[in-house]
Amino acid sequence: MRVLNHAGPGALSIALALTLGGAALAQDKDPSDLRVYWKNGLRLENADKSLTLKFGGRIMSDWARFNEEDAPAGISPFDDGTEFRRARLFFEGVIQGTVEFKAQYDFAGGDADFKDVYIGLLGIPGVDSLRFGHQKEPFSLEEQTSSKYMTFMERALPNAFSPERNTGVRAAGTGLQERLTWSAGAFTETDGFGDSEDMDSGANLTGRITGLPLWQDGGARALHLGLSATRKAATGDTLRFSQRPEAHLASTYIDTGAMAADSALILDAEVAWVHDIVSVQGEYMTADVDAPAAGDPSFSGAYVQASVFLTGEHRAYKRSDGAFDRVRPGKNFGKGGAGAWELAARYSTLDLTDAAIAGGELKDLTLGVNWYLNPNARFMLNYVKADLSNRAGIPDNDEFSAVMLRFQVDF
Amino acid sequence: MRVLNHAGPGALSIALALTLGGAALAQDKDPSDLRVYWKNGLRLENADKSLTLKFGGRIMSDWARFNEEDAPAGISPFDDGTEFRRARLFFEGVIQGTVEFKAQYDFAGGDADFKDVYIGLLGIPGVDSLRFGHQKEPFSLEEQTSSKYMTFMERALPNAFSPERNTGVRAAGTGLQERLTWSAGAFTETDGFGDSEDMDSGANLTGRITGLPLWQDGGARALHLGLSATRKAATGDTLRFSQRPEAHLASTYIDTGAMAADSALILDAEVAWVHDIVSVQGEYMTADVDAPAAGDPSFSGAYVQASVFLTGEHRAYKRSDGAFDRVRPGKNFGKGGAGAWELAARYSTLDLTDAAIAGGELKDLTLGVNWYLNPNARFMLNYVKADLSNRAGIPDNDEFSAVMLRFQVDF
Amino acid sequence: MRVLNHAGPGALSIALALTLGGAALAQDKDPSDLRVYWKNGLRLENADKSLTLKFGGRIMSDWARFNEEDAPAGISPFDDGTEFRRARLFFEGVIQGTVEFKAQYDFAGGDADFKDVYIGLLGIPGVDSLRFGHQKEPFSLEEQTSSKYMTFMERALPNAFSPERNTGVRAAGTGLQERLTWSAGAFTETDGFGDSEDMDSGANLTGRITGLPLWQDGGARALHLGLSATRKAATGDTLRFSQRPEAHLASTYIDTGAMAADSALILDAEVAWVHDIVSVQGEYMTADVDAPAAGDPSFSGAYVQASVFLTGEHRAYKRSDGAFDRVRPGKNFGKGGAGAWELAARYSTLDLTDAAIAGGELKDLTLGVNWYLNPNARFMLNYVKADLSNRAGIPDNDEFSAVMLRFQVDF
């Protein structure tokens, strides 16, 4: 009927035609019908958007070439190789506007690793979502940013402290017109499939708060500040931190070993700044371990990174998540466009040697080039140079390097 | 053209408009086009419904707290824990109206357990469906009722006798205007992935017949009677029955051990009664094992359960399956509704001690509260108290108890 | 507006009605909307077809009965059995008309075997597709023909030489109006999940070229000629060829064992001829192994097969792939049709005994009946008779036989 308004001084015959045309359309339309469309992935929704579904996945095919001879003695040398770093499928949605779900599995390596398998309630006053099940603990800007959108192939060295995904309950919300996000939860440390029969040391208690003192031009100019904290529970009465040299096909490079411990308190300060084509991001983390037998060691790590888009884009940020989002090239590759090109550099450090623990100290320099063909596909080239020291039984070494290539698509 | 009838004494211009509008619509429509809609899950169908597809899955995230100290000596104590009880994705459909298929995999625990992977023929005279592949053997009301729709978190103790899913061929049909169902099949006992290289002891031969002496108001008042029987073949020349105390995170509690046997004859009598908000259900099973060395033992088990909906719903029953179906809350949670609330109690028993076998006897009392947020999501709270006796080498015990919580969504 | 042309001398009122009807339709239409349809599987596409998606899978449920007593001494006897030969799901598509992807996993046996997981670039001048990731190496007509469309349940004995799928890069194109195809690539020999940390012996270098000297009536009459070649790299400094007797539930029958080697050069000549209901196909392969310690052995194999459709169809061939395609029955099963019926016979041979290697020689005769219910479902019955000789330590044997049944659906 609204259409009639456009008709102006139309004739009766027009009005009738529309009415009947509407009837004919109604034969095809049903409240349960779903609109099927593509928005950086396959999506479905009903007319009032109370039901939404997404189905898709991601593929990351990696190649690495190592400067093997220089691997420190005592660390098993690693070979050049190829791997599927991630090979995921997911199905997620919102039912009745009140219940959300996500089921994502990663088939890399041949098993079905759980990567978010949860049920959530929406619309509880003051809480945007309350999720039960397997999910990321709310800790660290870099961890909350999807691997699809990371600037480098691997997260920085301090990510060793991140609790990553576990099974539990998490509440999250936003405030001040999405200038502020908060999230908090309790989790049980689980295996890769979300299961655990070890709840003796209590729960991981984790929370994060972020703010946007600056937000202009849809994020083309933004300043992000964040604080994360977690009380990480021991499993099997031990805690352990270890890390590869920002090369997943390489072996573990520094490692505290299993420390008889009850828990650790881990803190993280986050900052990120976007100014058009340029962005800078950094985090600083400390981990105080309640391990009396090892002298209650304190570990720490930090990274700082910068990137610049040669083709005019800026890094995208999702305010409801307090994390970075998908890069959309100004012009997609093909039909005359070249996609988006980004240069990036990162320096990161992680020190796992303190008190009675000599897990080693690692300093990494990473250089990267990213070619975004379109919002869903990119090629990544990373060069990593790692400098190891202070690890018990391993001579100091400043020669390890790797060149790595990734073909990535998400759908 | 049918629309013209509504037009009554319309003008020529209207008829033309409709004709042309129809032509415009036809440009978009193609016989291969599929309607996409939501009906408790994602579905697709073509215009004449000869092609139908469903895609979806289920998530069940469980938490259990055990009264550990009271676990009987000799049974490894079990720890409080969390697990994904089921984490499935499926794709099923009917092609050309004559061939059906289903491919469902359960990724809980990280592998891809087969949970119905079959091909079927429809429309053979007298047979509604003839299915080849991995599927449930037609045995037991509780087994035929999907885990999505069970009243309690776990099936009752006698389910130890159910052959569950195997690879084989199964025919099924209905009669007397769906007041009667029958199904029968031959199956090879397979591993969790539908494979077997042990066919020495012959096939499992299994059949089931059910009737509805009472069926009123779309199932608000119904009486179900059923009989199931199976000749269960040995694998590796042995048979074994065992059972957990209706708590999946717990260990096996009673167990015949491997009995040198050729086969067992298992019978099951089923009854269920729905009277508006109230329902009662029970089954009685016996297993006669052809195991001369063990004195040809006979085992048995039974359960009876009752439930009541506080919010006015009744348990739903699917006549073509002869089994219970999805509960649809009168008012969904959110936007003023509270969902459906159900209270339930069950008493079940399983006796695996007879002749030379002293596998133990277990009696369980289970209390449950179910909150159905909408047709696709529910929270379940179960309390189980188990009483063990007559198991060789294990002292009698009547103290085990567990509190369990489930977050469930299917989509 | 185009519709108006059909209206001929129509009235103003009609034009207005169409305009407004068009506006009403446009409210529902969006450039991101996808058409959802079925074409031998579920497909989606946007209006300009720059985005296309396919989602589906395949199920093959096999049964085998062996003539066990006659298994040669020294080869572990194999038991009658059932298995899911393939149980796959896939999601593939083209984004922006320039980037293609495929993610296919096979869950048979309970793990997620990678079966094409790649990213590709389309539209590079002179190259139809350039694919990075896990994919088939371009070798052998039979290997390039999908298992969905093979005439027999298993590929012929010489397929032991085929490099099958690995992770790498592959370029492919067509020429002479699709009368010619070429493809070439470099690959790393990987495990079943596309991963490898052994690149010491260099890459597999593989290429294939095919031509169609005859192509009439949409392929009802066609002659295919092809040449494939691969330089297969050693893994762990060894190469090994082995083969089952064209029965996957049986054990390996002939086997070179691990040969200390650097690489092998494998050549393949392909020919296939379709003349209406009749087809003939054959390949001849040789493998020259660079294994000085074993006397640089040369192995070879060949097969020839013929089939006839009793119901009038012909084998379908896909020109862009240079391989056989889906059989479409003239009349589908159900509603009066009988589907398509095909009889086939094959003779194949594989000789793995040469120089210092006595892996054995195998000659197989296979007879098959295929019943295609519709384009997506078929039942296959195969009889295989195998004749083993010249294997070190195993007496010659000409008695092995198997009867095998497959239920297949793809969707």
Side-chain angles (χ1 to χ4, degrees):
Chain A
M1 284 305 107
R2 183 165 56 79
V3 181
L4 261 183
N5 300 332
H6 301 283
L12 177 64
S13 63
I14 299 169
L16 283 169
L18 283 166
T19 305
L20 292 163
L25 281 170
Q27 290 184 321
D28 286 334
K29 276 291 172 189
D30 184 294
S32 67
D33 276 3
L34 301 181
R35 179 186 166 223
V36 183
Y37 65 106
W38 177 267
K39 186 180 170 188
N40 303 321
L42 177 59
R43 299 180 184 217
L44 302 93
E45 65 184 21
N46 65 358
D48 68 4
K49 296 184 172 42
S50 64
L51 181 85
T52 60
L53 300 172
K54 288 194 222 176
F55 178 67
R58 76 185 73 173
I59 299 170
M60 297 182 187
S61 174
D62 283 12
W63 294 81
R65 177 169 285 272
F66 298 109
N67 195 341
E68 285 184 60
E69 303 88 69
D70 302 321
I75 294 184
S76 61
F78 15 86
D79 296 317
D80 299 345
T82 185
E83 70 170 351
F84 282 87
R85 181 67 177 90
R86 293 177 181 89
R88 298 185 185 171
L89 293 178
F90 74 88
F91 193 174
E92 67 173 274
V94 174
I95 301 171
Q96 301 272 0
T98 53
V99 173
E100 63 173 345
F101 69 89
K102 184 170 182 181
Q104 178 170 256
Y105 305 100
D106 194 327
F107 299 114
D111 56 354
D113 286 310
F114 281 47
K115 298 290 178 185
D116 293 343
V117 183
Y118 61 73
I119 306 161
L121 299 184
L122 302 178
I124 296 172
V127 178
D128 289 348
S129 77
L130 180 66
R131 289 178 181 166
F132 307 90
H134 191 258
Q135 54 192 309
K136 280 184 180 172
E137 298 196 23
F139 186 91
S140 167
L141 171 60
E142 201 181 33
E143 181 65 37
Q144 301 309 307
T145 297
S146 166
S147 66
K148 294 183 290 190
Y149 315 140
M150 296 189 307
T151 303
F152 299 93
M153 287 173 62
E154 297 299 327
R155 293 189 175 90
L157 296 175
N159 193 250
F161 295 133
S162 167
E164 303 185 350
R165 284 185 180 84
N166 281 305
T167 303
V169 55
R170 196 216 59 160
T174 57
L176 304 177
Q177 289 147 310
E178 290 199 322
R179 286 292 189 100
L180 183 121
T181 77
W182 65 267
S183 46
F187 304 85
T188 290
E189 195 84 22
T190 58
D191 60 21
F193 320 119
D195 301 336
S196 167
E197 294 193 34
D198 180 357
M199 297 172 69
D200 293 341
S201 298
N204 289 357
L205 301 174
T206 307
R208 180 172 182 252
I209 187 163
T210 72
L212 281 174
L214 173 68
W215 181 263
Q216 292 177 348
D217 301 339
R221 304 204 175 183
L223 176 64
H224 160 104
L225 298 176
L227 282 172
S228 304
T230 182
R231 181 267 185 195
K232 186 179 171 73
T235 49
D237 297 321
T238 63
L239 278 171
R240 180 174 194 159
F241 300 106
S242 66
Q243 186 59 290
R244 294 184 175 89
E246 294 176 347
H248 192 263
L249 276 158
S251 308
T252 291
Y253 232 56
I254 59 176
D255 188 352
T256 63
M259 302 174 283
D262 179 63
S263 65
L265 178 65
I266 309 175
L267 302 176
D268 175 22
E270 317 168 1
V271 60
W273 176 69
V274 177
H275 188 92
D276 298 330
I277 63 170
V278 174
S279 76
V280 178
Q281 174 182 334
E283 292 183 78
Y284 175 73
M285 301 189 200
T286 61
D288 292 304
V289 186
D290 181 5
D296 288 337
S298 288
F299 306 121
S300 65
Y303 74 90
V304 60
Q305 69 178 57
S307 95
V308 57
F309 278 94
L310 305 181
T311 39
E313 293 80 3
H314 64 85
R315 285 186 80 193
Y317 182 92
K318 189 171 185 183
R319 289 192 289 172
S320 59
D321 290 351
F324 282 97
D325 199 5
R326 183 184 301 275
V327 171
R328 290 171 184 78
K331 279 196 166 189
N332 293 326
F333 169 71
K335 280 132 197 153
W341 287 82
E342 182 184 24
L343 300 182
R346 178 173 67 191
Y347 180 75
S348 67
T349 178
L350 178 63
D351 186 355
L352 297 183
T353 291
D354 190 55
I357 304 294
E361 182 176 359
L362 200 52
K363 290 172 185 161
D364 266 29
L365 174 69
T366 304
L367 304 176
V369 182
N370 296 327
W371 177 33
Y372 302 81
L373 290 77
N374 57 44
N376 293 87
R378 67 172 173 178
F379 292 176
M380 306 178 78
L381 181 68
N382 276 196
Y383 168 82
V384 180
K385 189 165 184 325
D387 177 359
L388 170 71
S389 59
N390 295 327
R391 182 168 174 191
I394 309 285
D396 287 1
N397 170 282
D398 59 1
E399 294 292 335
F400 169 85
S401 63
V403 176
M404 303 183 294
L405 183 62
R406 172 171 295 170
F407 302 98
Q408 173 184 322
V409 66
D410 80 283
F411 48 91
Chain B
M1 281 306 104
R2 183 166 55 79
V3 182
L4 262 184
N5 301 332
H6 301 285
L12 178 63
S13 64
I14 298 169
L16 284 169
L18 283 165
T19 305
L20 292 164
L25 280 170
Q27 290 183 318
D28 286 334
K29 277 291 173 191
D30 183 295
S32 67
D33 277 1
L34 300 181
R35 179 186 166 222
V36 183
Y37 65 106
W38 178 267
K39 187 181 172 187
N40 303 321
L42 177 59
R43 299 178 185 219
L44 301 93
E45 64 184 23
N46 65 357
D48 68 4
K49 295 183 173 44
S50 65
L51 180 85
T52 62
L53 301 171
K54 287 193 223 177
F55 179 66
R58 77 186 72 174
I59 299 170
M60 299 182 187
S61 174
D62 283 12
W63 295 81
R65 177 169 284 274
F66 298 110
N67 196 338
E68 285 186 57
E69 304 88 67
D70 302 321
I75 294 184
S76 59
F78 15 86
D79 296 317
D80 300 344
T82 185
E83 70 169 352
F84 282 88
R85 181 66 176 91
R86 294 178 180 88
R88 298 184 184 170
L89 293 177
F90 74 86
F91 194 173
E92 66 173 275
V94 173
I95 301 170
Q96 301 273 1
T98 53
V99 173
E100 62 173 346
F101 69 88
K102 184 170 181 180
Q104 178 169 257
Y105 305 100
D106 194 328
F107 299 115
D111 57 353
D113 287 309
F114 281 47
K115 297 291 178 182
D116 293 344
V117 183
Y118 60 73
I119 305 162
L121 300 184
L122 303 178
I124 297 171
V127 178
D128 290 347
S129 77
L130 180 66
R131 290 179 180 164
F132 306 90
H134 190 258
Q135 54 191 310
K136 280 184 180 173
E137 298 196 23
F139 186 90
S140 167
L141 171 59
E142 201 181 33
E143 181 64 38
Q144 301 308 307
T145 297
S146 165
S147 65
K148 295 184 289 189
Y149 315 139
M150 295 190 306
T151 303
F152 299 93
M153 286 173 62
E154 298 299 328
R155 293 188 175 89
L157 296 174
N159 193 250
F161 295 133
S162 167
E164 303 185 351
R165 284 184 178 85
N166 281 304
T167 301
V169 54
R170 195 216 60 159
T174 57
L176 304 176
Q177 289 146 313
E178 291 199 323
R179 287 292 189 100
L180 184 119
T181 78
W182 64 268
S183 46
F187 305 84
T188 290
E189 195 84 23
T190 58
D191 61 21
F193 319 118
D195 301 336
S196 168
E197 295 194 34
D198 180 357
M199 298 172 69
D200 293 341
S201 297
N204 289 356
L205 301 173
T206 307
R208 181 173 181 250
I209 187 163
T210 72
L212 282 172
L214 173 68
W215 181 262
Q216 292 177 348
D217 302 338
R221 304 203 175 184
L223 177 64
H224 160 105
L225 298 176
L227 282 173
S228 303
T230 182
R231 181 266 186 196
K232 186 179 170 72
T235 48
D237 297 321
T238 63
L239 279 171
R240 181 175 194 159
F241 300 105
S242 66
Q243 186 59 289
R244 293 184 177 90
E246 293 177 348
H248 192 264
L249 276 158
S251 308
T252 292
Y253 232 57
I254 59 176
D255 187 352
T256 63
M259 302 174 284
D262 180 64
S263 65
L265 178 65
I266 308 176
L267 302 176
D268 175 22
E270 318 167 1
V271 60
W273 176 69
V274 177
H275 187 90
D276 299 328
I277 63 171
V278 174
S279 77
V280 178
Q281 175 182 333
E283 292 183 77
Y284 175 75
M285 302 189 198
T286 61
D288 292 304
V289 186
D290 182 5
D296 288 339
S298 287
F299 307 121
S300 65
Y303 74 91
V304 60
Q305 70 178 57
S307 94
V308 57
F309 279 94
L310 305 181
T311 39
E313 293 80 5
H314 64 84
R315 285 185 80 192
Y317 183 93
K318 188 170 186 184
R319 288 192 290 172
S320 60
D321 289 351
F324 282 98
D325 199 5
R326 184 184 300 275
V327 171
R328 290 171 185 77
K331 280 197 166 187
N332 293 327
F333 169 70
K335 281 134 196 151
W341 287 83
E342 181 184 25
L343 299 182
R346 178 173 67 188
Y347 180 77
S348 69
T349 178
L350 178 63
D351 187 354
L352 298 182
T353 292
D354 190 54
I357 304 295
E361 183 176 359
L362 199 52
K363 291 172 185 162
D364 266 29
L365 174 68
T366 304
L367 304 176
V369 182
N370 296 326
W371 176 31
Y372 301 82
L373 290 77
N374 57 45
N376 292 87
R378 67 173 173 177
F379 292 175
M380 307 178 77
L381 182 67
N382 276 197
Y383 167 82
V384 180
K385 191 168 184 320
D387 177 357
L388 170 70
S389 58
N390 295 326
R391 181 167 175 193
I394 309 285
D396 287 2
N397 170 282
D398 59 0
E399 294 293 335
F400 168 86
S401 64
V403 176
M404 303 183 294
L405 182 62
R406 172 170 295 169
F407 302 98
Q408 174 184 323
V409 66
D410 80 282
F411 47 91
Chain C
M1 283 306 103
R2 184 167 54 80
V3 181
L4 262 182
N5 300 335
H6 302 283
L12 177 64
S13 62
I14 298 169
L16 283 170
L18 282 167
T19 304
L20 291 164
L25 280 171
Q27 290 185 319
D28 286 334
K29 276 292 173 191
D30 183 293
S32 66
D33 277 3
L34 301 181
R35 179 186 166 223
V36 183
Y37 64 106
W38 177 268
K39 186 180 172 188
N40 303 322
L42 176 59
R43 299 179 184 217
L44 302 93
E45 64 184 23
N46 65 357
D48 69 4
K49 295 185 173 44
S50 65
L51 180 85
T52 61
L53 301 171
K54 288 194 222 175
F55 178 66
R58 77 186 71 173
I59 300 169
M60 298 182 186
S61 174
D62 283 11
W63 294 81
R65 178 169 285 273
F66 298 109
N67 196 341
E68 285 184 57
E69 303 88 69
D70 301 320
I75 294 186
S76 60
F78 14 87
D79 296 317
D80 300 344
T82 185
E83 70 169 351
F84 283 88
R85 182 66 176 92
R86 294 177 181 88
R88 298 184 186 173
L89 292 178
F90 75 87
F91 194 173
E92 67 173 274
V94 174
I95 301 171
Q96 301 271 2
T98 53
V99 173
E100 63 174 345
F101 69 89
K102 184 171 182 180
Q104 178 169 255
Y105 305 100
D106 194 328
F107 299 114
D111 56 354
D113 287 310
F114 281 47
K115 297 290 177 184
D116 292 344
V117 182
Y118 61 73
I119 305 162
L121 299 184
L122 303 178
I124 297 171
V127 178
D128 290 348
S129 78
L130 179 66
R131 289 179 181 165
F132 306 91
H134 191 257
Q135 54 192 311
K136 280 184 180 172
E137 298 194 23
F139 186 91
S140 165
L141 171 60
E142 201 181 32
E143 182 64 37
Q144 302 307 308
T145 298
S146 166
S147 65
K148 295 184 290 189
Y149 315 139
M150 295 189 308
T151 304
F152 298 93
M153 288 173 61
E154 298 299 328
R155 292 188 174 90
L157 296 174
N159 193 249
F161 296 132
S162 168
E164 304 185 351
R165 284 184 179 85
N166 281 306
T167 301
V169 54
R170 196 216 60 159
T174 56
L176 304 177
Q177 289 147 312
E178 291 199 321
R179 286 294 189 99
L180 183 118
T181 79
W182 64 269
S183 46
F187 305 85
T188 290
E189 195 84 23
T190 58
D191 61 21
F193 319 120
D195 300 336
S196 167
E197 294 192 35
D198 180 357
M199 298 173 67
D200 293 340
S201 298
N204 289 356
L205 301 174
T206 308
R208 181 174 182 249
I209 187 163
T210 71
L212 281 173
L214 172 68
W215 181 263
Q216 293 177 347
D217 301 339
R221 303 203 175 182
L223 177 64
H224 160 105
L225 299 176
L227 283 173
S228 304
T230 181
R231 181 266 187 196
K232 186 179 170 74
T235 48
D237 297 321
T238 63
L239 279 171
R240 180 175 194 159
F241 299 105
S242 66
Q243 187 57 292
R244 294 185 177 89
E246 293 176 347
H248 192 264
L249 276 157
S251 307
T252 292
Y253 232 56
I254 60 176
D255 188 352
T256 63
M259 302 175 284
D262 179 65
S263 65
L265 178 66
I266 309 176
L267 302 175
D268 175 22
E270 318 167 2
V271 59
W273 177 68
V274 177
H275 188 91
D276 298 329
I277 63 171
V278 174
S279 76
V280 178
Q281 173 182 333
E283 292 183 77
Y284 174 74
M285 301 190 199
T286 61
D288 292 304
V289 187
D290 180 4
D296 288 337
S298 288
F299 306 121
S300 65
Y303 75 90
V304 59
Q305 70 179 57
S307 94
V308 57
F309 279 94
L310 305 181
T311 39
E313 293 80 3
H314 64 84
R315 285 185 81 193
Y317 182 92
K318 189 171 185 183
R319 288 192 289 172
S320 60
D321 290 351
F324 282 98
D325 199 5
R326 185 184 299 275
V327 170
R328 291 171 184 77
K331 280 196 165 188
N332 292 326
F333 169 70
K335 282 136 195 148
W341 287 83
E342 182 183 26
L343 300 182
R346 177 174 67 191
Y347 180 77
S348 67
T349 177
L350 178 62
D351 187 355
L352 298 183
T353 292
D354 190 54
I357 304 294
E361 183 177 0
L362 199 53
K363 292 173 185 160
D364 266 29
L365 174 70
T366 304
L367 304 176
V369 182
N370 295 327
W371 177 33
Y372 301 82
L373 291 77
N374 56 46
N376 293 87
R378 67 173 173 178
F379 292 175
M380 306 178 79
L381 182 68
N382 275 197
Y383 167 83
V384 180
K385 192 167 182 319
D387 177 357
L388 170 70
S389 58
N390 294 328
R391 180 167 176 193
I394 309 286
D396 287 2
N397 169 282
D398 60 0
E399 295 291 335
F400 168 86
S401 64
V403 176
M404 302 182 294
L405 182 62
R406 172 171 295 170
F407 302 98
Q408 173 184 323
V409 66
D410 79 284
F411 47 92

